[in-house]
Structure formats: structure tokens, C-alpha cells
Amino acid sequence: MIQSKGYAARDPKSSLTPISFERRDAGPGDVVVEIAYCGICHSDIHQVRDEWGGSIYPMVPGHEIVGKVTAVGSDVTKFKVGDLAGVGVTVRTCMQCENCKAGAEPYCLKGMVGTYNAKDYDGAVTYGGYSNNIVAPEHYVYSISPKLELAAVAPLLCAGITTWSPLRHWGVGPGKKVGIVGLGGLGHMGLKFAHSLGAETALFTTSPGKEEDARRLGADEVVLSKDKDAMARNKGKFDFILDCVSAPHDLNEYLSLLRLDGTLCQVGLPDEPLPVSAFSLVTNRRSLSGSMIGGMRETQEMLDYCAEKNIVSDIEMTTVDKLDEAYERVVKGDVKYRFVIDMGSLG
Ligand code: NAP
Ligand code: ZN
């Protein structure tokens, strides 16, 4: 077994504390990564606090992982010791079902195994990236370009692919008017990608103080969602809206912004249902959809696109002893725009 150390939640209410645990030795198809940095996703907080139900404790969160390869199994072909590598939200899928075969692994019919707070197919609980190392099958490990700032690449592994995948799936590009709702970790990557793909991009935010940053990140327009007149002026104008909000909010307000055949895609995962009026959908023949992270091939494509276009996340670096403060600031919507933990701080 490989000895690991990290930070774990023991229950929904207490602070995360140090933990020592074991990971499996690298099998023939596995890659071992020594973790340099791990992003803090709002999903970490939802799961640590058991807001979605079914949390498994102790829980070592973290699914925006970057570092260096320290060992590879005998069947591994993509990586060698010393390479930069990343691990995201998924560490196993069946690879046999139609969705896996189509490169849509998060929708695996047997069920995808999450990087943490999940049970692998053999029953072993998975532990995430708030730790010094991780073992994953090669298929779920990504190549990282040395051209980019490594710490700022970490959030691409979840916030990046979760916004990239729906923007690509719904054909966002020149001639399309796109709205991004919520300027947090996901939202700021959504803005960067929508802008880079050539769409006319608007940010909808509850935070007046984020306007200047939003424009720098790629917004052509910023709308304060609490301003009823501004919302009314935007009715029926959008082809595609990506909703990245982590808390309950009124979807009908955003559906009303869609033009004929427009789509609202929900990626934020509030812990309560979001009521929708049928009138919001039948008007303009609108669609309401959702999207979960992204497939392995498209994640590598996104990382390669970022290397080519020099796109990374805007990060605030933190350390393992300051997780409480980081979590509080994420929940308040006060992070610019993703916390990344320097895993060197584990000691
Ligand atoms: P985050 O950094 O906390 O950003 C969420 C943003 O939502 C905030 O910055 C804020 O933006 C807005 N917001 C927060 N509370 C609000 C409220 N009460 N009303 C309206 N707006 C509010 O979170 P994140 O890491 O980007 O994650 C966002 C959500 O996506 C989480 O629920 C997470 O679990 C989920 N997620 C889903 C997937 C997937 O595969 N679908 C993957 C990763 C994460 P403003 O200040 O601009 O209003
Ligand atoms: Zn995430």
C-alpha cells in the first residue's frame, strides 16, 4: 500500500483535520501522482457538509488535482515518471456502456466513480486531492502543459471542464448570445471560455462589486440580477444561458431571457429543487437542461485549448490550515475566483 496524508472531514459540522491513510499500490494500468496543488470546488463544501445527502466520512475532498507523476504501472503508455499530470472528478467508469463508448463517461450507465466520497467498483472508498498523492487509472489522468502556471491549471479539472463541455455541446461561438449566471469558480471559467469561443457574453451576478472583474474576464455586458428593469430589458435575447449558481434561486427569471429555441443549462447544484413554471418553457419553445463535468477526451481537449490560448483560472492560493476561512469565503461568494491549496503546506 501507498502511505498518504491529507485533510479530512469527520462529520458535516466540524473543521477538516489531518488524516493518515493508505491508497492501493499502482496496478498495471495505474498512474501515481504526487499532488502539488488542489482547487477548492463548491462541490467539496456541499459534500463535506452533507448538503446532497449520503456523504461518507472520513472524507478527503478535492477533485481539481495537479502534480507530478511518481510511478506508472507496466501497461501505462501516456505517462512517465516526472511528467506533469492532472486528475479531475472521475476515477473510474465501466468503459463498456454506450455512454462510455461515446466519450460521455460522467454518464456511465454502471455509474461513474467520483474521485472522493464514492465507492470504487471493488467497494473501496475513494479519497481526493486534499492530500499528498493519488492513484488513478491512466484513462482518468490528464497531460498538463508546462507552458501554463501549474497551480492555476488545477481548477480547469472541474470548473474548467464543467463549463467547457456544455458550451461546446450547445455550439456556443460567433453569432450566439450567451449568459453566464454567477461569478464564482465555474462562472469565471464560463466567461473566459464563452468569450474565447467568440460568443457575445453577458454575466448575471448578485454582486455589484464583481462588474469590473467580469469585464476583464470576458463579459461584454454585466447585469445585476436584482435589478428588475435590467432583467426586463434582456427578456428574449439569449441563445444559451449557463447557470453556475450554488444556492436556490428563481430559474424562471433566467428562462425568460431566452429567445426562440434557447436553452438554459443548469450546472450549479443547489441542495433544493428549483421550481419551474410551464409557461417559462412553452414561451419561445425553450429548453431546460443540465450537464455534468465532461468526458475524458473533451477534458484533454479543453486542457490543450487552454495551453494554446493561454487560459488558466484566476486563483487565490491558500494552505491546509486555512480551509475554514476559505470555505466561509466561497459560501459568501467572496473568492477571486478559485481557491487553490498549496499541498506543500501539508508538511
Ligand atoms: P462558487 O465559486 O461558490 O460560485 C457560485 C456563485 O453563485 C457565487 O460566486 C455567486 O455569484 C452565485 N451565488 C451564490 N449564492 C447565491 C444566491 N443565493 N443567489 C444567487 N447567486 C448566488 O461555486 P462553484 O465552485 O463555481 O460551483 C457552483 C455550483 O456548481 C455548485 O453548486 C457546485 O456544486 C456545482 N458544480 C457542478 C458541477 C457539475 O458537474 N454540474 C461541477 C462542479 C460544480 P455572484 O456573486 O456573481 O452572484
Ligand atoms: Zn468540482
Side-chain angles (χ1 to χ4, degrees):
M1 299 296 267
I2 296 173
Q3 296 304 314
S4 303
K5 58 183 176 178
Y7 263 61
R10 319 280 170 165
D11 61 67
K13 296 245 182 308
S14 314
S15 301
L16 277 71
T17 48
I19 186 171
S20 293
F21 60 103
E22 290 182 331
R23 298 190 186 271
R24 68 171 185 275
D25 284 319
D30 285 330
V31 176
V32 184
V33 178
E34 182 183 50
I35 302 174
Y37 303 102
C38 183
I40 297 180
C41 178
H42 204 123
S43 303
D44 300 348
I45 303 174
H46 288 307
Q47 291 174 89
V48 160
R49 299 185 176 174
D50 200 17
E51 291 169 354
W52 297 336
S55 286
I56 305 168
Y57 302 99
M59 182 195 305
V60 179
H63 57 209
E64 294 184 335
I65 299 166
V66 291
K68 252 188 195 153
V69 173
T70 53
V72 294
S74 53
D75 294 346
V76 169
T77 57
K78 271 194 318 190
F79 296 96
K80 58 181 189 323
V81 170
D83 286 348
L84 295 177
V87 177
V89 183
T90 312
V91 290
R92 200 179 304 283
T93 58
C94 81
M95 298 304 292
Q96 308 292 323
C97 74
E98 62 196 62
N99 294 354
C100 282
K101 283 184 179 157
E105 294 95 332
Y107 311 104
C108 171
L109 296 175
K110 185 171 175 184
M112 74 153 220
V113 178
T115 300
Y116 68 87
N117 190 30
K119 285 200 176 135
D120 206 338
Y121 291 165
D122 65 1
V125 171
T126 57
Y127 298 109
Y130 296 10
S131 62
N132 62 335
N133 54 34
I134 189 157
V135 184
E138 176 177 31
H139 186 67
Y140 310 94
V141 183
Y142 307 101
S143 297
I144 306 283
S145 168
K147 271 170 53 187
L148 299 174
E149 182 197 340
L150 186 61
V153 168
L156 302 180
L157 278 311
C158 177
I161 184 59
T162 300
T163 50
W164 172 263
S165 179
L167 291 173
R168 298 291 288 162
H169 182 78
W170 274 278
V172 161
K176 292 282 166 74
K177 187 154 167 134
V178 173
I180 304 290
V181 188
L183 188 54
L186 267 57
H188 94 291
M189 290 313 306
L191 272 189
K192 287 188 187 211
F193 286 145
H195 174 74
S196 173
L197 291 166
E200 186 185 341
T201 306
L203 173 75
F204 293 88
T205 180
T206 59
S207 307
K210 292 182 183 175
E211 178 161 355
E212 205 181 308
D213 282 346
R215 290 190 190 277
R216 177 178 55 79
L217 293 163
D220 299 295
E221 195 184 338
V222 179
V223 180
L224 287 178
S225 49
K226 290 172 186 157
D227 178 344
K228 298 282 173 220
D229 293 340
M231 291 296 278
R233 279 198 298 278
N234 279 286
K235 279 211 162 111
K237 297 235 167 100
F238 285 79
D239 296 291
F240 185 74
I241 294 177
L242 189 64
D243 185 330
C244 306
V245 174
S246 52
H249 57 291
D250 185 4
L251 282 191
N252 300 288
E253 280 187 13
Y254 295 100
L255 285 166
S256 77
L257 306 178
L258 294 171
R259 60 163 61 118
L260 183 66
D261 289 329
T263 296
L264 170 65
C265 178
Q266 186 65 36
V267 287
L269 290 165
D271 56 0
E272 285 172 29
L274 305 172
V276 170
S277 157
F279 289 91
S280 302
L281 292 173
V282 302
T283 308
N284 274 352
R285 201 162 56 192
R286 294 166 176 139
S287 298
L288 173 60
S289 68
S291 183
M292 186 156 66
I293 30 173
M296 307 305 115
R297 200 187 315 124
E298 65 180 335
T299 303
Q300 189 63 57
E301 281 165 10
M302 178 268 314
L303 288 165
D304 296 346
Y305 180 89
C306 287
E308 188 196 323
K309 304 278 184 183
N310 207 20
I311 295 173
V312 287
S313 172
D314 283 29
I315 63 166
E316 291 192 53
M317 194 76 84
T318 191
T319 48
V320 284
D321 54 319
K322 296 203 182 95
L323 291 174
D324 283 342
E325 184 192 326
Y327 274 25
E328 284 317 314
R329 284 190 48 205
V330 172
V331 170
K332 278 195 288 183
D334 171 35
V335 49
K336 294 193 166 143
Y337 279 89
R338 194 59 135 188
F339 279 114
V340 169
I341 310 167
D342 178 355
M343 292 321 309
S345 64
L346 267 176

